[in-house]
Amino acid sequence: MSSNVGLTTPRGSGTSGYVQRNLAHLKPRDNFKPYSTDLDSLKHRQRKPDKEILEHDRKRDIEVKVFELRDRLEDEGVDEEEIETQTDSLRKKLLAELDKGAGRDKKVLKMHQVHELAEAKIKETDRFRSALGISKNYEEGSHWKKQEERLRESLEQSARGER
């Protein structure tokens, strides 16, 4: 046995004498906190959507529509040149609509579309903020800070008046 670990002899113990370490033993951690204590990290940060992924998904949707048209025309027996001209014209039309920004606003998003959801949430919060008249650089709790400053100023003025 190495390092005086285990049985001196496995004879009569009903075991092979093989020693394993206890994998279920948890070592104590002194100063470990599973959360951050920094106040800036506790504030809600809006997830930023990746523009390249959004653009890729939009172009992919266009190509899916073009492929569906191509498939339908091939099933109808249209010749190859006519299929190419129709798919090219549809692709150009859809890309022009994409450049104008039309389309994708009223679409129902699924949970796996993280970047689309983030973009929609940003637009929603901007609309809500503008409806309530809140500025973009608004800091949470700034109203209370202003009240404290006014109270402090009034106390200072009343202290000066007593002198």
Side-chain angles (χ1 to χ4, degrees), residues 56-68 90-99:
H56 173 78
D57 286 343
R58 290 180 183 126
K59 287 181 180 178
R60 185 176 181 274
D61 289 342
I62 289 172
E63 290 302 317
V64 166
K65 291 176 184 174
V66 168
F67 185 75
E68 288 172 353
L90 178 66
R91 183 178 292 117
K92 288 177 185 176
K93 182 183 115 187
L94 292 174
L95 285 173
E97 287 178 6
L98 177 68
D99 290 339

Side-chain angles (χ1 to χ4, degrees), residues 20-29:
Q20 293 180 328
R21 74 172 208 228
N22 185 359
L23 296 175
H25 176 68
L26 297 175
K27 296 178 183 177
R29 295 183 178 167

Side-chain angles (χ1 to χ4, degrees), residues 66-143:
V66 168
F67 185 75
E68 288 172 353
L69 175 67
R70 172 180 282 281
D71 193 38
R72 186 171 39 93
L73 291 175
E74 286 176 352
D75 289 344
E76 292 173 0
V78 179
D79 64 335
E80 192 63 34
E81 291 179 11
E82 182 64 25
I83 291 174
E84 287 296 324
T85 56
Q86 286 188 15
T87 55
D88 287 340
S89 65
L90 178 66
R91 183 178 292 117
K92 288 177 185 176
K93 182 183 115 187
L94 292 174
L95 285 173
E97 287 178 6
L98 177 68
D99 290 339
K100 290 180 187 175
R104 202 136 164 137
D105 294 334
K106 302 293 183 193
K107 187 174 180 180
V108 176
L109 299 174
K110 296 178 178 63
M111 289 305 293
H112 68 275
Q113 295 173 315
V114 178
H115 297 277
E116 288 90 345
L117 287 170
E119 183 183 45
K121 185 65 176 177
I122 288 173
K123 288 180 182 177
E124 178 188 11
T125 54
D126 286 343
R127 279 196 317 266
F128 193 63
R129 182 184 297 121
S130 65
L132 294 178
I134 301 172
S135 65
K136 287 193 178 214
N137 58 357
Y138 175 75
E139 186 177 325
E140 195 173 320
S142 61
H143 175 73

